[in-house]
Amino acid sequence: NIVMTQSPKSMSISVGDRVTMNCKASQNVYNNIAWYQQKPGQSPKLLIYYASNRYNGVPDRFTGSGYGTDFTLTINSVQAEDAAFYYCQRIYNSPFTFGSGTKLEIK
Amino acid sequence: QVQLKESGPGLVQPSQTLSLTCTVSGFSLTSNSVHWVRQPPGKGLEWVGAIWSGGSTDYNSALKSRLSISRDTSKSQVFLKMNSLQTEDTAIYFCTRFRDYWGQGVMVTVSS
């Protein structure tokens, strides 16, 4: 089974900073990944699909990139409301494995 | 508008069977897949399984022997059944229209 490894596990960033988090697949998944944001007590929210497509209504400070095995979610000019967990997921072919998540804290 | 809502018992005894229902609106089950995802308290997301628009299913291999996902298209409902529950199955269970719309989740506690 393909394993999705996210790094770092957590980060603490100031408002206005740029943040980059990573997702590495153990095998080539082409562009078949999605990124989600989950805040405490809420369901995950889709941010990015097929590696780089921003979902409806997602602010353009969120950008996804990558192909094959290495993927990145970048948040430009982080806002206080971006404090959350972020998960990547393989979205083509079972199993639709999630990464273990990155916790983003705002200083 | 698209909505999904999970329902089921909040407490299940060890070794018993969990039955959850996901009632959907705003889209057709014959044109969309519905997936189940779970999240143990304080932990990350785990893909559980899926039922596709044609009615076929896929399961997490670690759960496959205990898991069944089915649907009633006339009622716009998707069902999850998992037997031989253990404390490790304690989690919030979400149903999702694969990626974009998610239910609020239902907390299931496995305890005697």
Side-chain angles (χ1 to χ4, degrees), chain A residues 36-82:
Chain A
Y36 302 87
Q37 177 193 68
Q38 188 183 32
K39 297 181 180 179
Q42 296 185 15
S43 310
K45 288 182 169 57
L46 177 65
L47 297 174
I48 302 288
Y49 62 98
Y50 294 130
S52 61
N53 294 277
R54 201 175 295 116
Y55 184 59
N56 297 341
V58 174
D60 60 8
R61 64 178 181 273
F62 291 90
T63 301
S65 62
Y67 187 89
T69 60
D70 293 287
F71 301 89
T72 300
L73 177 68
T74 300
I75 311 174
N76 287 304
S77 189
V78 165
Q79 303 299 300
E81 63 263 30
D82 299 336

Side-chain angles (χ1 to χ4, degrees), chain A residues 1 34 36 38 42-46 49-50 55 87 89-92 94-100, chain B residues 35 37 39 43-47 50 52 58-61 94 97-105:
Chain A
N1 281 346
Y36 302 87
Q38 188 183 32
Q42 296 185 15
S43 310
K45 288 182 169 57
L46 177 65
Y49 62 98
Y50 294 130
Y55 184 59
Y87 296 94
Q89 183 193 23
R90 176 193 183 200
I91 56 171
Y92 186 76
S94 177
F96 298 88
T97 312
F98 287 92
S100 55
Chain B
H35 294 228
V37 174
Q39 185 169 39
K43 296 190 176 180
L45 302 170
E46 180 183 27
W47 181 75
W52 298 96
D58 276 313
Y59 300 129
N60 183 322
S61 59
F94 298 97
R97 189 185 78 163
F98 194 32
R99 301 191 298 265
D100 55 1
Y101 287 91
W102 293 65
Q104 65 192 19

